[in-house]
Amino acid sequence: MRTNKDDGNNIRSLYEKLLESWNDNNAGKFSKLFADDGNVIGFDGSQMNGRNQINDELNKVFVNHKVSSYVGIVREIRTLSPTVFLLRAVAGMVPQDKAEIKADMNTIQTLVGQREHDEFLITLYQNTPAAFHGRPELVKQLTEELQKVVNGKQTIR
């Protein structure tokens, strides 16, 4: 099923808001992007279930330290049903006070979004390490691609 332009733009915007709220260390803003029963699967395999737990767990993280900032590249937006959408992206992290992507933190990200009336919410957001074991050329290639996003002073491309 093809994604219409408006829905694609809304899902892309939802993803950008997600990364920006992480970069701003704003757990409330981050968690409000999720459906009440939305889920997060973190880079380390940790899981957060429901908007309240997402907010509470991220508040604990953000209170203790300022996290590295995400940049992302959207690879695909696909319509799964008239109200359910899949976004696939790659992302990298830039440590605070740095300007270079940290290659060992590159990730493949998947976001499942749902439209309820005129509102788009995240039902699932998953990070998978982009380790590419035994293929250092792929790590280098992805890192260089993400670095261009950083150099262009963008959050997503």
Side-chain angles (χ1 to χ4, degrees), residues 15-83:
Y15 176 66
E16 186 168 21
K17 289 174 187 172
L18 183 77
L19 297 188
E20 288 172 347
S21 62
W22 173 274
N23 295 349
D24 292 341
N25 284 227
N26 190 326
K29 194 171 156 186
F30 187 98
S31 64
K32 285 182 181 163
L33 298 171
F34 285 80
D36 286 337
D37 61 350
N39 306 101
V40 173
I41 302 171
F43 186 84
D44 64 353
S46 60
Q47 297 179 47
M48 294 174 268
N49 300 304
R51 185 183 287 163
N52 291 336
Q53 186 181 29
I54 294 167
N55 182 67
D56 294 347
E57 292 299 318
L58 286 184
N59 264 325
K60 291 175 191 173
V61 171
F62 295 154
V63 164
N64 292 319
H65 65 283
K66 186 138 175 74
V67 297
S68 296
S69 294
Y70 271 120
V71 296
I73 300 171
V74 175
R75 297 286 198 214
E76 176 187 19
I77 298 173
R78 184 185 325 164
T79 300
L80 301 178
S81 81
T83 60

Side-chain angles (χ1 to χ4, degrees), residues 93-117:
M93 297 191 97
V94 180
Q96 293 303 310
D97 302 319
K98 304 285 182 194
E100 302 293 320
I101 290 287
K102 191 172 179 194
D104 64 340
M105 296 300 290
N106 289 348
T107 182
I108 308 299
Q109 297 184 330
T110 304
L111 181 151
V112 177
Q114 183 172 330
R115 181 180 58 228
E116 294 181 16
H117 308 291

